[in-house]
Amino acid sequence: MEPVLIVLVVLVVVAFIALIKTIQVIPQASAAIVERFGRYTRTLNAGLNIVVPFIDRVRNRIDLREQVVPFPPQPVITQDNLVVNIDTVIYYQVTDPRAATYEVASYIQAIEQLTVTTLRNIIGSMDLESTLTSREVINAGLRGVLDEATGKWGIRVNRVELKAIEPPTSIQDSMEKQMRAERDKRAAILTAEGNRQSQILRAEGEKQAEVLKAEGEAQAAVLRADGEAAAIRTVFEAIHQGDADQKLLAYQYLQTLPELAKGDANKLWIIPSEVGDALKGLGGAFTGLTGNGGGANGSAMAAPSAAPAAPPAATQVPIDPSAGPRPLDTDTKGSARPRIDPLREYRKSDPE
């Protein structure tokens, strides 16, 4: 009995092991390669799969999800002979498990080495400034080369990112000084532009104020001139309406003469020749008042009116020696000549 029992136990164990070898459960987003007598047979997908025990062998299981692999910093020489350390990150995904298993021994190591060599080729044709400012260009170049090379390996490179670009310490100090100088320059330019705008606005405001002030003064002068013209017109009309005689005009003329001598700039004053006519008019007025007595004085006063004498010559009367010189009317020989009086011309035109 014991040998038979041992055989039965052995058969049960072998059947259990065969059952385990026959049933293969593959998780989601994974794949397995099946080899029969060392030769590729098929690829097991996610789910329950049955294989021939002790004949088919599951070689390895491959994750079909997108993988992220960071690579350590790699020293790269730029076109201007500067060594920079660049960290890269690769995002890839296995699209063909059979090619990833049989086309390359280790696709992770192959991608790393291909990334390093491609990165050196791209950075070697760029200077430091272009390297620091052309991340998108470098990423696109790396992705194109890696995607083309890893396609036959059953790998698709989705993205390539430069994690860090570290230039030498001395270059970093120089770059910081340059950036600080650029910021100071922009600040100085902005300050000067602000001062310029403020000065322009201030000048425009002052200009508008001066223009408005000048317009106000011009309007005031026009209104003042209109008022004076209206006043003169009113006085002239009042004189004509009152029918003033020559005696009254002569008296007003003599009262106006002292006003001509007023002023700080008057040094000499020319007495017009019309003063004699005004005095004659006043003398006639007094003769009319005293002529009724018929005395000798009346005859003496009336005598000059019978035979008018020649107009007296212009006489120079000093007014204020401390004042400045006053321009005089002179003839061609330099002697003073009487000025034309508008009141005399008015009396000549008036029949009275």
Side-chain angles (χ1 to χ4, degrees):
M1 285 299 292
E2 291 183 0
V4 176
L5 183 59
I6 293 174
V7 171
L8 290 176
V9 172
V10 171
L11 291 177
V12 171
V13 172
V14 170
F16 182 75
I17 295 175
L19 182 61
I20 293 176
K21 292 289 186 179
T22 302
I23 300 174
Q24 296 289 332
V25 179
I26 306 301
Q28 183 66 32
S30 297
I33 301 300
V34 178
E35 294 179 351
R36 180 172 293 177
F37 300 113
R39 184 177 181 181
Y40 170 76
T41 302
R42 60 193 175 115
T43 301
L44 302 180
N45 297 320
L48 182 63
N49 298 276
I50 296 182
V51 297
V52 179
F54 305 109
I55 297 177
D56 295 339
R57 183 175 68 90
V58 179
R59 180 173 178 175
N60 59 349
R61 296 183 180 183
I62 299 175
D63 194 349
L64 301 179
R65 295 174 297 179
E66 185 174 7
Q67 303 293 322
V68 180
V69 179
F71 296 143
Q74 298 293 330
V76 181
I77 300 176
T78 61
Q79 187 179 9
D80 46 358
N81 297 325
L82 293 176
V83 180
V84 295
N85 294 324
I86 301 179
D87 298 347
T88 55
V89 179
I90 304 297
Y91 296 83
Y92 73 94
Q93 186 177 10
V94 178
T95 58
D96 188 357
R98 186 194 65 81
T101 302
Y102 297 104
E103 294 295 336
V104 62
S106 175
Y107 56 83
I108 297 296
Q109 186 178 1
I111 292 174
E112 180 181 1
Q113 296 301 320
L114 183 61
T115 301
V116 172
T117 54
T118 305
L119 187 61
R120 288 177 178 175
N121 292 333
I122 295 175
I123 300 300
S125 60
M126 303 173 65
D127 55 7
L128 179 60
E129 186 175 358
S130 300
T131 302
L132 296 175
T133 58
S134 304
R135 288 175 176 258
E136 294 296 333
V137 177
I138 299 173
N139 294 339
L142 281 174
R143 180 182 175 185
V145 174
L146 292 176
D147 197 12
E148 182 181 358
T150 58
K152 61 181 180 179
W153 299 341
I155 306 295
R156 182 177 70 244
V157 178
N158 296 327
R159 295 185 64 183
V160 179
E161 295 292 340
L162 298 183
K163 190 175 181 181
I165 300 177
E166 297 179 358
T169 305
S170 59
I171 301 300
Q172 291 182 6
D173 297 338
S174 300
M175 291 173 61
E176 290 179 358
K177 294 179 180 178
Q178 181 180 2
M179 294 302 297
R180 190 179 301 109
E182 289 291 335
R183 292 190 181 93
D184 295 339
K185 176 183 176 181
R186 288 197 295 267
I189 291 174
L190 291 177
T191 302
E193 189 68 23
N195 294 333
R196 175 176 173 270
Q197 291 294 334
S198 64
Q199 292 177 2
I200 290 175
L201 293 177
R202 189 180 301 109
E204 290 180 353
E206 293 177 355
K207 175 184 176 182
Q208 293 179 359
E210 292 294 334
V211 169
L212 293 176
K213 182 179 179 180
E215 291 178 353
E217 292 178 354
Q219 293 179 1
V222 170
L223 294 176
R224 193 180 301 110
D226 291 341
E228 293 177 356
I232 294 173
R233 193 180 302 110
T234 302
V235 172
F236 185 77
E237 292 177 356
I239 292 174
H240 279 273
Q241 289 177 2
D243 193 13
D245 57 357
Q246 186 177 2
K247 300 174 182 179
L248 179 59
L249 295 176
Y251 179 72
Q252 293 293 331
Y253 180 72
L254 292 176
Q255 285 184 341
T256 309
L257 290 178
E259 298 295 331
L260 299 176
K262 291 182 179 179
D264 297 335
N266 293 333
K267 186 175 182 181
L268 294 178
W269 178 53
I270 304 302
I271 299 177
S273 60
E274 287 80 3
V275 175
D277 296 338
L279 293 175
K280 290 178 182 180
L282 290 178
F286 287 108
T287 302
L289 293 176
T290 60
N292 294 329
N297 292 333
S299 299
M301 295 291 291
S305 61
T315 306
Q316 295 184 355
V317 178
I319 301 300
D320 187 5
S322 62
R326 179 180 179 90
L328 303 176
D329 292 338
T330 58
D331 55 9
T332 58
K333 296 182 179 179
S335 60
R337 59 183 176 86
R339 296 183 180 178
I340 298 175
D341 188 19
L343 185 59
R344 180 180 181 184
E345 298 294 332
Y346 171 78
R347 287 201 303 272
K348 288 181 179 180
S349 62
D350 193 357
E352 293 294 331

